[in-house]
Every structure is written in C-alpha cells, then in structure tokens.
C-alpha cells in the first residue's frame, strides 16, 4: 500500500502560539534580552524626537517672527566695487505689488559709549542706527523696558537700545533715565528692546530718529539696510517668492541688480540651527551601536535557548515538524523578542522626548515615521539575530535530541 | 491466531545501522522484523544491544545505513527529510522514557501538540485531547502544567499525545524507566487496554517482567534478532 502524502503544516494561529512559547515561559530572560534592544531604540527615538522637537520649536518661532521678512542690503557690484542704495530705495521697494511694507535703516557714523570718560575706540561693537518709526513692527520687535521712538522723541537726543547693546552698556532699566554718550552729546535711553533673533544688527545697536541723526551727525542719506515684509501668500509659492526677490533687486538698483543682496533672516536662522543638528548624527550612531549590541545579545540568548530546548525540538520533529517549522519557530521568537524591545524602546524614547521638550518649553514633536521605523528596525535585527540559532535548531538530529539524558 | 491475515504495519528488511568511529560501531547488523496491526510487542535486550537504535530507525527518526524500513508498505528510503517528518507526525506515535512533555504547556496543550503540525484546527485538537486525557485517566488534570503532574501522570499525558491522530504504530522507549513499580504496572495495564482497543504498540524495555506480560517479545543481541517469541 502506497499512500500519497502531503507535508506537515501548521496554522498561522498555532505558529504564533509556538513562537511565543519560549518567551512566555522565560519571562525574566525575555525582559532582560529585550531591554538591550529597547535601550538602542529608545536612544535613537529620543535623539530624533528631541531634534525634531527643537526643529518644530524653531519653526514655530520663525512662524511667529514672520518668515516673510526680507533684509535688503547693498552687496558688491559686478566689478567688485561697493554699491550704495538710492536715497528713496525704501519707497521704491514698498511700491512693488507683493511687498506689504518696508523700512529703511541708516548708519550713523558715531561711537556709542556709556559716558565721555570711556575711550572712543571702545565701542563694544555697538552701532548707532537711524531708523523710522515703523522699524520695530517691521522686525516684529517688542520693547522690553520703556518705550520706542515716537514722533516727538525722534527729533530729540533720545535712543532706544537693542537688547545686546543694553547688556553691553550695562543698562538694565530706563527708570532712572540713563544716558549714553554719542560723539559729544548725551542721549537719554528711553527704551530697551526685547531680543529680536531675526534682526541681530538691531539687537546690537542704539536706535535714534532720522531727524536728530541728520541734525547732529554726518548721516549717510543712502539707507544701509532695508527691511521689507512681503505678502504671506508668497511663502507657499517658491517661484513667485524668488520672482519678488529679483524684482526688488531690479527696482532698487536697475543698473546693477546683482549688487543688491536680498536675504531672508529666517533662512539664516534655520541654517544656523541645522548645523547644530550635525550632532544628532553622532548620537544616532551611538544608538545604532546600542542596537547592534542588543542584536548580538539576542543571538546569544537564542543560541543558549536552542541548546536548552534540544529535547523540545526533538519532540516537535517526532510530532511531524519539518526543519522549516523549527527554523520558523526560532526566527519568529527572536524577531518577536526584538519587537518587544522595539515597542518598549519607542515608548521610552517618546517619553524621554516629551519630558525633555516640555522641560525646555518646546513644541513636542515625535516623528511618527521614526516610531514605525524603530519597531521595523528592531524586528529586522531580531530576525537576523535569529537566523543562525534557528538554523542550528533546524539541523538538530531528532534521534539524538530525544535520547534520554542522565 | 492466524497472523498472516493481518495487515503488516511495519517491516524491517536487512536493516543495518553503524555509527562512524574507529572502528565504526555496528549497532544493527541486519535485522528482519514484521509488526502486524494490533500487535503488542516487547523489544528486549541488554544495554548496548541496539534496541534504542532500532526504535529510532523504526520510527523514522533515524535512517538505516543499509536495508529497508517500510511503514504501511511505504519504503522510507525513498523519502525526503520533509516526507519523513510528515510521516512521523501522521503515522507514528512516540512515548519516551523521560516523558518529554513540552514545558510551559498544559496537559491539554501537550496532548493536542500531537497533531500540531497536521493543520488541524485548534478547537478540534483540543476536544480530541480532552477525550484522550479522559481515556488515560487524567480527566481532572487537563489544565495542569507538566511540573504540576507526577511522573505517572506525565507519562499518561505522553501516551495520550502518542494516541492523537490514531497513528499506525506507537513506539515506546523504556516508558516505565523513570517510574516506581506500582505506577509502572498501571502504565503497562494502560498499554494492554489501548492494545485491546486496537492500537499497535512496540515497547523497548530491559524489564523482563513487562516483556513477559506482552503477547510478543523480540530479543536483540549485539545488533541481531536473537529470539522472536512469535515465531516459536
């Protein structure tokens, strides 16, 4: 009698039951082994999460500051000579359809000192600038102390200090009407600005009205800097945004538009932060090393498990399991072990991110793709780690494996 | 009893088995044996007589170096490892000296594992397993884990597992070797009971008392059949 035989097979549900058996019966070992992977994944997720939260924080800051702010400065002409803007450059810019408003800043050739006894050379890097009254709203600045220039103070010897300038001059309050010394005149400080990350040169300047500047100093009539706010709708349309930039350049200097530099301060800020993020590469690498070590740990534990469970493997072979079933069982167990670690790791990583970001009052951002990738990576490592132990298990000679042992 | 009328379940033809070494160990040196449906056969011999090797070869756990093993007429030498595995799962039941239950699985789960690799639904396997556990007298130990059972109880679970799927033949290796004499008797009684219900059983043992209680006894000596009580 010859029978036609099909091969042994196992249902999906049963395969899962078999594959989880080893983990269920050795809970402590399972937890400790998964911990290695969990640490690696948590390290990577928290690095990504903290970076992403810091990016999100920056973006929200930039959005608050206004990414539609442009800084227009004279650059170098085609021939390399310095260019200067026409006196009415700010008005010209404002006339462009996509520009909402603009404001000119003039350099005042003077030093800013705490008093007359300080040598002229010790400027502390503080510039004197003449600005119009709209300048503050233009850079989304705010007054931290006192008040900004108004119509009357603009024509009087009064200044408003940028936050950095105030700090360098040692002026923290306007309550006692402190004064600063410019050339040979004492100016009263009527206000101190809050930090303005988009306008670092305003932060480092003493600001006065154009009228008083023209009256007391040798004021260049050409603006050295023009701030412009463009229509917000341009932000979603890079082509129109670039167009506006070239229109601005061509309008300011029709003869030499290449001599006009139109930059976006928020871009610079973003670029500066992204270089800080180069660090994250290193940290991610450390996370990857932790993962690798975790993977080796899993392989190690699986090899031990296969040796311990020789009899079980022999029994399963006697009960009809194919080599493939045994291999699958151990690869599955290994992958599942790593997946447990992966899930624990992403939870841990997300918690670290949330805790860190909220401790710094950041916007919390945990990239969801990194969560999925974290578990995926863990499963991949677990699968690879399980291949060798599983192959050993499948190769066991069933007769040898069920032999009674003393 | 006219044995020729009964179906041959297992047949060994000139089976030899040697293990590599210097000189090679010849565990089996040309064995011919017939096991017919419904037999209860003892395989006896001293330690090193080759009886365990023979059981492995009979149960398709090991391949002979020479000769043929036929199970229900199927020559195993033509079968691949996958086919051998599948055949073990379907047609052969194993009982081991050390019970070899799977740790962490309840009595029902261990018994139902007898058909785990046959693609049979879990619920059907479980209900079969419960029936069999009642049959071996463990109806009140269904959910117990192996370490919560006595040796005799564990061996009954192992017997129930071997019975799953109604195999053509049940092979038992020193199944009372780890049990006290009273429990051994109970287990042997159970085998007689199962045999009366139709199971074909071959038991390897070095215990003469057990062997003599069986209808058939084959004695091995140095890898050869020294005596077959059925031929007499």
């Amino acid at each position: 009698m010859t029978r036609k035989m099909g091969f042994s097979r196992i249902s999906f549900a049963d395969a899962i039951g078999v594959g989880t058996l080893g983990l269920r019966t050795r809970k402590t070992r399972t937890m400790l082994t998964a911990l290695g992977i969990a640490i690696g994944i948590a390290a990577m997720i928290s690095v990504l999460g903290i970076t992403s939260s810091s990016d999100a924080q920056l973006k929200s800051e930039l959005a608050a500051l206004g990414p539609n702010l442009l800084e227009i400065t004279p650059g170098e002409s085609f021939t390399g000579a310095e260019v200067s803007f026409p006196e009415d450059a700010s008005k010209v810019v404002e006339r462009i359809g996509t520009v909402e408003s603009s404001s000119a800043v003039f350099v005042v050739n003077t030093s800013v000192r705490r008093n007359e006894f300080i040598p002229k050379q010790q400027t502390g890097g503080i510039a004197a600038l003449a600005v119009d009254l709209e300048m503050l709203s233009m850079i989304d600045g705010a007054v931290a102390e006192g008040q900004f220039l108004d119509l009357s103070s603009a024509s009087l010897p009064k200044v408003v200090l940028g936050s950095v300038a105030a700090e360098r001059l040692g002026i923290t309050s306007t309550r006692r009407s402190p004064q600063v010394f410019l050339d040979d005149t004492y100016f009263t400080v009527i206000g101190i600005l809050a930090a303005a990350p988009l306008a670092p040169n305003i932060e480092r300047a003493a600001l006065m009205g154009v009228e008083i500047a023209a009256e007391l100093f040798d004021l260049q009539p050409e603006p050295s800097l023009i701030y412009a706010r463009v229509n917000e709708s341009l932000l979603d349309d890079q082509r129109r945004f670039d167009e506006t930039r070239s229109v601005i350049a061509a309008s300011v200097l029709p003869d030499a538009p290449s001599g006009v530099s139109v930059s976006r301060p928020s871009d610079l800020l973003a670029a500066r932060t992204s270089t800080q993020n180069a660090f994250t590469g290193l940290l991610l690498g450390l996370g990857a090393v932790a993962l690798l070590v975790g993977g080796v740990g899993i392989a190690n534990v699986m090899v031990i498990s296969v040796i311990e469970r020789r009899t079980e493997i022999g029994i399963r072979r006697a009960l009809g399991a194919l080599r493939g079933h045994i291999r699958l069982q151990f690869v599955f167990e290994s992958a599942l072990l790593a997946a447990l670690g992966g899930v624990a790791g992403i939870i841990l990583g997300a918690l670290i991110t949330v805790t860190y970001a909220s401790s710094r009052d950041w916007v919390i951002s945990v990239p969801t793709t990194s969560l999925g990738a974290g578990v995926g990576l863990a499963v991949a490592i677990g699968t690879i780690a399980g291949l060798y132990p599983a192959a050993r298990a499948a190769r066991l000679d069933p007769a040898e494996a069920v032999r009674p042992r003393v | 009893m006219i044995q020729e009328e009964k179906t041959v379940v297992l047949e060994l033809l000139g089976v030899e088995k040697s293990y590599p070494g210097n000189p090679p160990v010849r565990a089996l040196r040309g064995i011919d044996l017939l096991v017919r449906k419904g037999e209860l056969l003892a395989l006896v011999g001293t330690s090193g007589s080759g009886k365990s090797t023979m059981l492995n070869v009979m149960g398709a756990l090991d391949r002979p170096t020479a000769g043929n093993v036929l199970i229900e007429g199927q020559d195993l030498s033509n079968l691949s490892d996958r086919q051998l595995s599948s055949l073990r799962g379907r047609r052969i039941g194993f009982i081991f000296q050390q019970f070899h239950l799977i740790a962490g699985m309840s009595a029902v789960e261990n018994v139902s594992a007898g058909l785990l690799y046959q693609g049979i639904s879990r619920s059907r396997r479980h209900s079969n397993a419960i029936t069999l556990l009642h049959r071996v007298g463990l109806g009140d130990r269904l959910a117990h884990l192996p370490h919560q059972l006595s040796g005799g109880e564990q061996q009954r679970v192992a017997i129930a597992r071997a019975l799953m799927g109604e195999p053509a033949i049940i092979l038992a290796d020193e199944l009372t070797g780890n049990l006290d004499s009273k429990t051994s008797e109970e287990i042997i009684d159970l085998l007689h009971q199962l045999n009366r219900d139709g199971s074909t059983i071959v038991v390897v043992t070095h215990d003469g008392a057990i062997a003599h209680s069986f209808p058939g006894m084959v004695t091995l000596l140095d890898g050869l059949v020294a005596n077959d009580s059925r031929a007499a």
Side-chain angles (χ1 to χ4, degrees):
Chain A
M1 172 174 89
T2 312
R3 70 179 60 238
K4 191 178 180 311
M5 288 200 324
F7 291 124
S8 292
R9 60 205 158 93
I10 184 167
S11 75
F12 184 69
D14 285 328
I16 289 182
V18 169
T20 56
L21 178 71
L23 305 185
R24 283 183 279 133
T25 50
R26 294 170 176 81
K27 291 197 176 71
T28 312
R29 183 190 292 185
T30 300
M31 279 193 300
L32 290 176
T33 313
L35 188 63
I37 293 288
I39 289 171
I41 294 287
M44 297 182 89
I45 296 286
S46 53
V47 166
L48 291 174
I50 289 171
T51 311
S52 150
S53 297
S54 123
D55 279 350
Q57 178 64 22
L58 177 74
K59 283 203 185 97
S60 81
E61 274 171 15
L62 291 181
L65 293 168
N68 61 337
L69 178 70
L70 293 183
E71 201 179 275
I72 305 153
T73 50
E76 283 187 344
S77 76
F78 206 61
T79 55
E82 275 186 36
V83 300
S84 57
F85 288 168
E87 288 171 34
D88 63 345
S90 176
K91 299 271 179 302
V92 171
V93 169
E94 205 165 280
R95 258 181 252 129
I96 297 168
T98 46
V99 174
E100 309 248 285
S101 57
S102 76
S103 169
V105 176
F106 303 87
V107 171
V108 183
N109 286 318
T110 176
S111 60
V112 181
R113 289 176 283 163
R114 189 69 180 86
N115 54 48
E116 61 202 284
F117 305 112
I118 290 172
K120 240 183 177 165
Q121 292 76 20
Q122 282 190 22
T123 60
I126 300 164
L129 298 176
V131 298
D132 52 34
L133 303 181
E134 290 81 49
M135 204 282 310
L136 187 64
S137 62
M138 187 63 61
I139 62 162
D140 241 333
V143 179
E145 180 86 22
Q147 61 193 74
F148 195 63
L149 300 167
D150 56 25
L151 275 175
S152 67
S153 56
S155 53
L156 294 170
K158 294 184 175 183
V159 290
V160 171
L161 296 177
S163 56
V164 176
E167 195 190 314
R168 287 186 186 164
L169 288 167
I171 296 172
T172 53
S173 165
T174 57
R175 209 169 309 144
R176 294 174 134 194
S177 299
Q179 292 190 310
V180 288
F181 191 66
L182 283 79
D183 257 7
D184 52 5
T185 313
Y186 274 102
F187 275 62
T188 307
V189 178
I190 59 165
I192 297 171
L193 298 184
L198 279 190
N201 35 11
I202 297 294
E203 285 187 310
R204 286 161 181 74
L207 310 172
M208 68 185 81
V210 178
E211 291 88 341
I212 189 75
E215 193 186 316
L216 293 181
F217 305 103
D218 170 26
L219 179 69
Q220 301 278 326
E222 302 91 4
S224 61
L225 167 66
I226 298 167
Y227 286 115
R229 288 270 178 187
V230 297
N231 196 306
E232 301 243 352
S233 68
L234 293 186
L235 296 175
D236 305 323
D237 188 341
Q238 189 61 38
R239 197 181 53 80
R240 282 182 63 210
F241 185 78
D242 292 340
E243 254 171 37
T244 301
R245 285 164 88 141
S246 27
V247 170
I248 288 173
S251 312
V252 172
L253 285 180
D255 308 342
S258 63
V260 180
S261 145
V262 183
S263 66
R264 184 152 61 150
S266 57
D267 286 348
L268 296 175
L269 210 55
R272 204 176 65 212
T273 318
S274 75
T275 55
Q276 287 168 358
N277 289 350
F279 220 178
T280 56
L282 184 69
L283 292 172
L284 276 182
L286 285 177
V289 170
L291 260 188
L292 196 69
V293 173
V296 172
I298 287 188
N300 192 12
V301 164
M302 291 307 294
V303 167
I304 294 169
S305 180
V306 167
I307 293 168
E308 284 177 351
R309 294 161 72 186
R310 287 179 45 158
T311 310
E312 178 195 326
I313 295 163
I315 294 298
R316 290 185 184 279
R317 294 301 312 275
L319 294 176
L322 307 179
R323 286 182 198 277
H325 290 140
I326 301 296
R327 199 178 299 120
L328 182 74
Q329 173 182 346
F330 283 93
V331 170
F332 180 85
E333 185 171 311
S334 177
L336 186 67
L337 188 55
L340 284 177
V343 170
I346 62 170
I347 293 172
L348 194 63
L351 277 178
I352 292 172
T353 304
V354 169
T355 313
Y356 187 78
S358 31
S359 78
R360 309 196 72 174
D361 284 326
W362 284 354
V363 176
I364 293 164
S365 162
V366 181
T368 46
T369 46
S370 78
L371 298 185
V375 177
L377 188 60
V379 169
I381 287 174
T383 306
I384 293 168
L387 287 178
Y388 170 71
R392 271 185 69 158
R395 269 203 311 268
L396 272 184
D397 173 12
E400 171 64 28
V402 296
R403 180 162 299 162
R405 265 180 287 277
V406 219
Chain B
M1 197 195 306
I2 310 164
Q3 289 184 334
E4 275 70 23
E5 287 175 5
K6 296 246 180 177
T7 321
V8 174
V9 175
L10 180 102
E11 190 170 8
L12 302 189
L13 293 171
V15 165
E16 293 179 24
K17 178 74 185 177
S18 41
Y19 294 102
N22 194 19
V25 181
R26 297 185 64 196
L28 303 178
R29 300 194 294 163
I31 301 235
D32 296 306
L33 186 79
L34 270 186
V35 180
R36 293 171 195 278
K37 191 168 163 52
E39 273 198 87
L40 176 56
L41 182 66
L43 205 56
V44 295
T46 53
S47 175
S49 59
K51 52 190 195 305
S52 283
T53 302
M54 190 161 146
L55 199 78
N56 286 341
V57 168
M58 287 162 78
L61 284 171
D62 213 348
R63 289 176 189 271
T65 316
N68 299 79
V69 179
L70 285 81
I71 290 176
E72 296 185 308
Q74 170 107 48
D75 189 342
L76 303 192
S77 55
N78 303 325
L79 300 185
S80 67
D81 185 73
R82 287 160 64 86
Q83 288 170 318
L84 279 186
S85 300
S86 308
L87 179 108
R88 283 196 297 267
R90 284 183 198 163
R91 303 311 298 156
I92 304 169
F94 292 93
I95 305 169
F96 302 97
Q97 179 180 351
Q98 291 172 331
F99 326 132
H100 287 343
L101 300 181
I102 298 176
M105 288 180 17
S106 70
V108 170
E109 286 170 331
N110 261 293
V111 175
S112 75
L115 288 180
L116 180 61
Y117 298 96
Q118 308 310 320
I120 291 164
S121 82
R122 193 180 157 82
S123 55
R124 240 186 81 196
R125 282 188 286 123
H126 267 223
S127 67
N128 283 0
I130 290 167
T131 310
L132 285 173
L133 279 169
H134 278 104
R135 212 171 132 194
V136 299
L138 285 180
D140 56 345
R141 294 280 191 274
L142 300 180
H144 283 57
L145 295 172
H147 66 84
Q148 297 167 326
L149 298 171
S150 71
E153 287 170 334
Q154 290 192 48
Q155 196 57 296
R156 285 168 192 266
V157 174
I159 291 169
R161 177 174 68 190
L163 288 168
M164 278 291 270
E166 295 173 2
I169 187 164
I170 292 173
L171 303 174
D173 190 3
E174 300 283 10
L175 82 170
T176 59
N178 280 22
L179 302 175
D180 61 60
S181 55
K182 183 172 172 293
T183 316
S184 294
E185 262 176 51
E186 288 167 8
I187 293 290
I188 296 303
D189 285 347
L190 179 60
L191 287 192
H192 279 283
Q193 177 64 46
L194 297 173
N195 176 245
R196 276 195 296 277
D197 294 346
S199 295
T200 309
I201 305 173
V202 176
V203 178
V204 160
T205 180
H206 65 273
D207 185 328
I210 292 173
H212 283 291
S213 80
F214 284 7
M217 178 167 82
V218 171
T219 310
L220 288 188
L221 187 64
D222 294 334
L224 287 167
V225 174
N227 183 43
D228 189 338
S229 72
R230 303 169 300 172

